[in-house]
Amino acid sequence: MHLSRSTRIGVVGSVLALAVVALTGCSASSNAATSDSSAGSSTGTWAKSKGTLVFGAVPDQAGSDANNKPLEEYIAKKTGYEVEYYPTADYTALIAAAVAGKVDVMSSGGLQYVQATNKGAALEPVAATLSSPDVKDPGYYSEAITKAGSSITSLKQAKGKTVCFVDPNSTSGFLFGLYQLNKAGVDVSTSGTDASGNPKFDAFTAYFAGAHDKSEQAVASGQCDVGFAEDSIAEPAAKKGEVEVLGKQYVPGGPLSISTKLPKDVQTKLGDVLSGASPEAIKKAGITLTDGFTEGYFGVQAEDASYYKSIRDLCSTIPSADCAK
């Protein structure tokens, strides 16, 4: 879920040219997928049980489960099905859940969707979340930042420094960060992994903060010389004088994806609901819009898998991103 962002520009083309934590809550034996072949419903498979949709989301900021609640309630009201949140501790756990068929609906970044489908997850995007209330383009920006007052004025100076990323599975906080470094002439090749299994880079020391806000905080405190975070985090921090923005790169907006294993009629119904899930529609349905939700959710634009081709292409040009993992 992305917060307010500045006006978007169509620069995806430049990218193309240049370039498990325990899964709790839904893992008991009662959660085995069940087939639905009842009258009036096509044959298919549910993540947990017939009539219950399991919703998974990227836990990249505190309160992700609560912040998604209005959307979950809207899905339940419009489809008539139960909706159950699937708790995941990090990006890796969400991808693993999708690959294992443990979620019916997934809200994620573009990279997590690509990684999950690369590993066999049966997912199809139906919409991309809008990036602010003022635009119709769901894209946003990965921003390169440094501490305010730092002597670093260009990403090319990241060589030999400590660089903050969000997570090895983060779209704007890793993949597009690597792209920006590579474009600036910094070697992004790796030499194995560290003790935590994270990539070790030849030209700089990588630190994985775990969330966009934590990446920004690590840069602002001087723990990292340079870092990356989505613009919804970087821009407010820059306005407060905590960090300075060195550069930015357009990123395709995060998808709302549905399981293609669900019965076809359920997929159709769910796709229609998600593609029309504007804040106004959710409110009109009698759902209370919480502060955490309205600060980060501005509606959707219908999109399909082709919208994420730029991410797949970028993954193929930067092997160190290891998008197949």
Side-chain angles (χ1 to χ4, degrees):
M1 186 180 301
H2 302 295
L3 307 184
S4 179
R5 299 175 172 94
S6 56
T7 304
R8 280 24 182 177
I9 58 175
V11 296
V12 173
S14 65
V15 177
L16 299 178
L18 291 171
V20 170
V21 172
L23 301 177
T24 59
C26 298
S27 58
S29 59
S30 61
N31 296 337
T34 58
S35 294
D36 177 7
S37 57
S38 58
S41 179
S42 55
T43 301
T45 303
W46 302 71
K48 181 180 180 181
S49 59
K50 177 183 174 183
T52 297
L53 293 169
V54 181
F55 183 97
V58 171
D60 60 349
Q61 294 185 47
S64 288
D65 52 350
N67 292 344
N68 281 294
K69 186 62 68 177
L71 179 58
E72 295 172 40
E73 293 178 352
Y74 179 72
I75 294 170
K77 187 161 189 176
K78 300 298 286 187
T79 63
Y81 304 126
E82 296 289 331
V83 176
E84 180 177 297
Y85 184 78
Y86 193 98
T88 53
D90 54 28
Y91 292 70
T92 301
L94 178 63
I95 294 169
V99 173
K102 292 182 178 293
V103 295
D104 298 300
V105 185
M106 186 172 82
S107 174
S108 70
L111 179 57
Q112 294 101 59
Y113 156 71
V114 168
Q115 289 175 320
T117 54
N118 281 349
K119 295 182 71 172
L123 291 172
E124 182 70 22
V126 294
T129 54
L130 294 177
S131 54
S132 91
D134 305 316
V135 300
K136 297 303 180 184
D137 179 355
Y140 63 108
Y141 286 94
S142 165
E143 299 205 355
I145 55 177
T146 191
K147 183 178 180 179
S150 170
S151 61
I152 296 176
T153 58
S154 169
L155 270 182
K156 72 173 84 174
Q157 295 173 270
K159 184 176 181 180
K161 302 295 195 299
T162 299
V163 179
C164 261
F165 297 103
V166 173
D167 183 282
N169 301 308
S170 174
T171 313
S172 58
F174 183 60
L175 177 62
F176 280 82
L178 291 182
Y179 170 68
Q180 292 178 78
L181 287 166
N182 186 58
K183 189 167 62 171
V186 178
D187 182 11
V188 295
S189 60
T190 58
S191 55
T193 58
D194 62 20
S196 299
N198 293 323
K200 291 177 62 177
F201 292 87
D202 298 331
F204 54 86
T205 299
Y207 174 77
F208 293 92
H212 288 270
D213 53 347
K214 291 180 180 178
S215 180
E216 181 277 323
Q217 290 162 12
V219 172
S221 69
Q223 182 177 356
C224 294
D225 301 297
V226 174
F228 296 93
E230 64 180 12
D231 52 6
S232 63
I233 298 296
E235 290 294 338
K239 289 180 179 179
K240 289 189 289 186
E242 296 177 354
V243 300
E244 294 178 2
V245 177
L246 299 176
K248 59 179 66 177
Q249 181 64 50
Y250 181 91
V251 180
L256 290 175
S257 306
I258 62 177
S259 169
T260 56
K261 291 184 178 181
L262 285 166
K264 293 296 183 182
D265 57 333
V266 177
Q267 292 182 49
T268 299
K269 181 188 292 187
L270 185 54
D272 290 343
V273 169
L274 289 175
S275 62
S278 67
E280 294 77 18
I282 296 173
K283 185 176 181 179
K284 187 176 180 180
I287 308 299
T288 299
L289 304 185
T290 61
D291 289 343
F293 181 74
T294 57
E295 288 173 0
Y297 185 87
F298 308 105
V300 298
Q301 176 175 293
E303 297 288 356
D304 59 24
S306 65
Y307 178 63
Y308 298 97
K309 183 179 184 299
S310 63
I311 293 179
R312 292 190 184 280
D313 290 347
L314 189 55
C315 280
S316 69
T317 64
I318 302 182
S320 56
D322 197 13
C323 297
K325 65 179 178 295

